[in-house]
Amino acid sequence: MSFLDIMAGIFQGFGVTAEVTIYGLLYAIPFALFAGVLQHFSTGIFRWCITAIIEFWRSSPVIVLLYAFYYSLPAFGIYMSAVTVGAMVLGLNAGGYASQSVRAALQALDHGQCEAGLALGLSRFTVLRLIELPQAIRVMIPTFVNEAIQLIKGTALVSLITLTDMTFRAKEIAQLSYNPVGIYSGLLLAYLIVCYPVTIFGRQLEASNGKIGRASQ
């Protein structure tokens, strides 16, 4: 089997890898923004609860979460597809890390801007939406891009819950061809091909935001 045949076989699983990644981002981004904002503004027991939820998803091993949700939940009458479980676990894990960037970005802002907005009669939510978040998002971009890349790489684990992603296809080919060096080198190259454009996009996004930031000063 030629190297091109190996790569073609591996990329047969790209559709599943892309599906889990896209759905995972739909979990990660809202969770990161929502949890980060709540952790920043909440106090007392409510802040402790938000922090506990974030740390659960951030600190638990992804592979254990995949097994727990996919194999254990049916015992309680809860059934989710492998794609849903993979996307949810990887997305919320990435979102847990990204939420700390959201919280830190909000904390770093000049508090005087919030006070000025409130003095003008704006509600606290309006100040957050129109003044604070737009500035904080520019700071969050590098972290969000990094977490997106980590999420793509993390999809390699969903082969453990029967999803036929690129890693699953590589394992199938390895079992048939007995060429682990060539196959897993191809798999490494495949993830590089998938992740590198995201890296380039992130750099361009950072550069464009840097220009906007300098223009607004």
Side-chain angles (χ1 to χ4, degrees):
M1 180 178 285
S2 69
F3 190 71
L4 288 177
D5 291 332
I6 291 173
M7 293 301 293
I10 289 172
F11 271 99
Q12 287 180 358
F14 174 73
V16 173
T17 296
E19 183 179 14
V20 173
T21 299
I22 292 169
Y23 286 130
L25 289 173
L26 294 179
Y27 280 98
I29 295 172
F31 179 69
L33 291 172
F34 188 69
V37 169
L38 286 182
Q39 190 180 35
H40 173 63
F41 287 109
S42 60
T43 56
I45 189 65
F46 188 68
R47 180 183 175 85
W48 185 90
C49 291
I50 295 297
T51 301
I53 293 171
I54 292 171
E55 290 305 320
F56 170 79
W57 289 107
R58 209 164 68 111
S59 303
S60 301
V62 171
I63 190 171
V64 175
L65 290 170
L66 287 171
Y67 282 137
F69 279 91
Y70 187 70
Y71 292 108
S72 300
L73 287 182
F76 300 95
I78 302 172
Y79 299 91
M80 292 190 291
S81 69
V83 170
T84 301
V85 171
M88 181 184 72
V89 167
L90 291 172
L92 294 180
N93 176 261
Y97 283 99
S99 69
Q100 299 309 288
S101 176
V102 175
R103 177 187 55 79
L106 290 172
Q107 287 179 343
L109 294 177
D110 182 4
H111 189 65
Q113 297 180 66
C114 174
E115 294 176 344
L118 295 175
L120 291 172
L122 300 178
S123 67
R124 189 65 187 86
F125 176 76
T126 302
V127 171
L128 172 67
R129 181 170 59 89
L130 297 181
I131 299 175
E132 294 178 314
L133 273 182
Q135 296 179 76
I137 286 173
R138 288 204 292 268
V139 180
M140 302 172 203
I141 286 175
T143 299
F144 274 63
V145 172
N146 287 338
E147 290 304 323
I149 294 170
Q150 291 296 330
L151 197 156
I152 295 171
K153 295 188 293 184
T155 59
L157 294 173
V158 300
S159 62
L160 299 173
I161 55 172
T162 72
L163 285 176
T164 54
D165 69 317
M166 294 196 300
T167 301
F168 188 94
R169 293 298 184 190
K171 290 178 181 177
E172 284 186 326
I173 298 169
Q175 291 171 354
L176 295 174
S177 67
Y178 303 103
N179 180 21
V181 175
I183 291 161
Y184 289 111
S185 296
L187 181 61
L188 180 63
L189 177 61
Y191 277 105
L192 178 62
I193 291 171
V194 173
C195 291
Y196 190 66
V198 180
T199 303
I200 297 299
F201 173 74
R203 289 174 183 170
Q204 292 176 342
L205 200 58
E206 288 181 52
S208 63
N209 274 280
K211 293 178 182 178
I212 294 172
R214 288 191 296 270
S216 63
Q217 290 177 354

